[in-house]
Amino acid sequence: MRLRRVGTPLFRVGSLVTALVASVSVGAGVVHAAPPAPAGLPARYISTLTVPDNFVPAPFRWGGISGLDAVGGGNYVGVSDDPGRFGPARYFQFRLPIAGNGMFTGPTPILTGGGTVLGPRNIPLLPGQMDMEGIRRLGGNYVVSSEGARPWIRVVTPLGLYVRDLRIPSAYIPGPNRGMGVNDGFEGLAVIPGGTVAAMTERSLAQDGGDPTLAAGTRSRLAVFGPKGTSEYVYRTDPLAKGASSRASKGVSEILAVNGTDFYVLERGYDPATNRNDIKVFLATTRGATQVGGRFKLSGSETVMPKRLVYDFGMLPLLRPDNVEGMAWGPRLADGRRSLVLVSDDNFATPGQKTKFHVLALN
């Protein structure tokens, strides 16, 4: 089909504005309807939209969507974790064709804009200087997180112009036997109502413990960048899925703030032996958890954030949710329920992996 024209979609590159292709040729997307809902959980699966391969071609290729946020007016922003192989550090703005019952009504997102993320002094980032995993609206700006050997959390304008970097506590800085792993950094990013930024590591800091096992999960850290300093809490993931191979992995891939203490947490696991993803959404709280701000190393006696299961995609074994990495508030449904929209990162590995949007209704 042809991409619908919405005015003239623009892709902003710093202070330059470059016209994006207003109409691109794509194959039909795939929309899945809701199967019978498993009972007993606070959320219900509604539908999935599978985005066609190469939805946006060069020079600003679509893919690697690792962070997602609702930004008003029915629009969303999705940040790409492309390290520079297929274009600049970028995000896309789009609408999703979601009806009042939570069903997708069209085969593709509808592009409405986008932008780049620049470095200090508004210098474009070079390949390898970014691995962006989260994006959230922060007032009139955006905050973006990037992992890697030199992680950062950056505030930029909607044009992508540099505003400031948040100060990351020294315990998180990657180094020999310390800090975040190069690919285990700030995958989760949230903005608490009122404007406080929070970020959660995918897995434990090197000095805090190991990777998840069949017996126990990993201990991620939540950092809340408050006006009076950074508060920190421990979040423990579930263990690896039952029967997982020795090559399986699991970690936190996104967080979404409900209020100043409560967060939806997206746990994402993968087992290359079976090519299956283990995707669960939890509701966790800092209430009752030990505040560990300023500690270089955890003792192991800390009270972790209490959590409860909201939804387990494993109950729908035929769905194949793929590599889900982003989560945002969806539209208010016709029956009054709030919804969540989740997105998978295709890792630029099409046709084997896909960008998929999933809608959950919160009961």
Side-chain angles (χ1 to χ4, degrees):
M1 65 164 288
R2 306 290 292 179
L3 180 67
R4 290 169 53 187
R5 182 184 293 270
V6 182
T8 302
L10 298 178
F11 201 93
R12 304 178 178 92
V13 183
S15 59
L16 300 177
V17 180
T18 303
L20 184 66
V21 179
S23 179
V24 295
S25 178
V26 298
V30 179
V31 177
H32 296 286
L41 289 180
R44 180 180 186 272
Y45 169 79
I46 301 295
S47 62
T48 292
L49 169 62
T50 301
V51 180
D53 295 345
N54 301 319
F55 169 57
V56 179
F60 305 113
R61 181 175 166 184
W62 172 276
I65 306 301
S66 295
L68 181 73
D69 201 24
V71 295
N75 287 297
Y76 296 82
V77 288
V79 72
S80 174
D81 66 1
D82 177 17
R85 292 183 298 156
F86 303 108
R90 62 195 180 280
Y91 71 87
F92 297 91
Q93 181 175 295
F94 48 87
R95 293 192 183 101
L96 292 173
I98 303 174
N101 61 359
M103 289 294 299
F104 286 100
T105 59
T108 67
I110 304 162
L111 287 177
T112 57
T116 59
V117 176
L118 301 177
R121 300 184 299 280
N122 292 320
I123 297 174
L125 297 172
L126 298 175
Q129 290 184 330
M130 67 287 193
D131 185 359
M132 299 186 296
E133 299 291 347
I135 186 169
R136 295 290 179 197
R137 184 175 62 174
L138 180 63
N141 294 321
Y142 293 124
V143 59
V144 181
S145 63
S146 177
E147 60 183 12
R150 294 179 175 83
W152 43 262
I153 300 176
R154 181 162 298 161
V155 180
V156 297
T157 72
L159 290 174
L161 301 178
Y162 179 87
V163 177
R164 62 188 175 95
D165 282 352
L166 276 62
R167 183 180 178 275
I168 297 174
S170 60
Y172 294 71
I173 304 302
N177 301 313
R178 60 166 293 160
M180 298 181 290
V182 171
N183 292 311
D184 298 331
F186 286 128
E187 287 266 353
L189 184 66
V191 172
I192 296 169
T196 300
V197 176
M200 187 178 286
T201 61
E202 181 175 2
R203 284 191 274 270
S204 68
L205 305 184
Q207 66 268 27
D208 287 343
D211 292 335
T213 66
L214 291 170
T218 189
R219 292 187 295 172
S220 299
R221 285 206 204 189
L222 172 71
V224 181
F225 298 88
K228 297 182 180 180
T230 301
S231 303
E232 299 175 52
Y233 303 89
V234 183
Y235 177 89
R236 184 179 284 279
T237 70
D238 274 8
L240 296 176
K242 184 178 180 180
S245 75
S246 60
R247 295 186 292 156
S249 62
K250 174 174 284 192
V252 173
S253 62
E254 187 60 287
I255 59 174
L256 179 65
V258 178
N259 51 45
T261 59
D262 302 338
F263 300 84
Y264 285 107
V265 180
L266 175 61
E267 294 189 16
R268 180 269 319 270
Y270 177 66
D271 189 348
T274 59
N275 193 31
R276 298 288 299 192
N277 290 103
D278 177 18
I279 308 296
K280 295 177 181 177
V281 178
F282 293 87
L283 183 62
T285 182
T286 59
R287 289 173 291 166
T290 305
Q291 208 281 88
V292 297
R295 297 187 190 180
F296 176 76
K297 183 178 180 179
L298 301 178
S299 67
S301 62
E302 297 84 5
T303 300
V304 302
M305 294 171 62
K307 69 176 188 179
R308 65 186 176 96
L309 182 64
V310 172
Y311 194 77
D312 178 4
F313 279 86
M315 295 184 297
L316 303 174
L318 299 181
L319 177 63
R320 296 277 182 168
D322 220 309
N323 178 37
V324 182
E325 291 203 6
M327 179 169 57
W329 294 112
R332 179 77 65 174
L333 302 181
D335 61 8
R337 289 181 295 173
R338 292 298 303 269
S339 66
L340 296 178
V341 177
L342 299 91
V343 65
S344 65
D345 173 2
D346 67 0
N347 288 315
F348 296 98
T350 57
Q353 289 186 267
K354 306 286 186 181
T355 300
K356 297 183 179 183
F357 291 96
H358 308 287
V359 175
L360 299 179
L362 298 171
N363 296 327

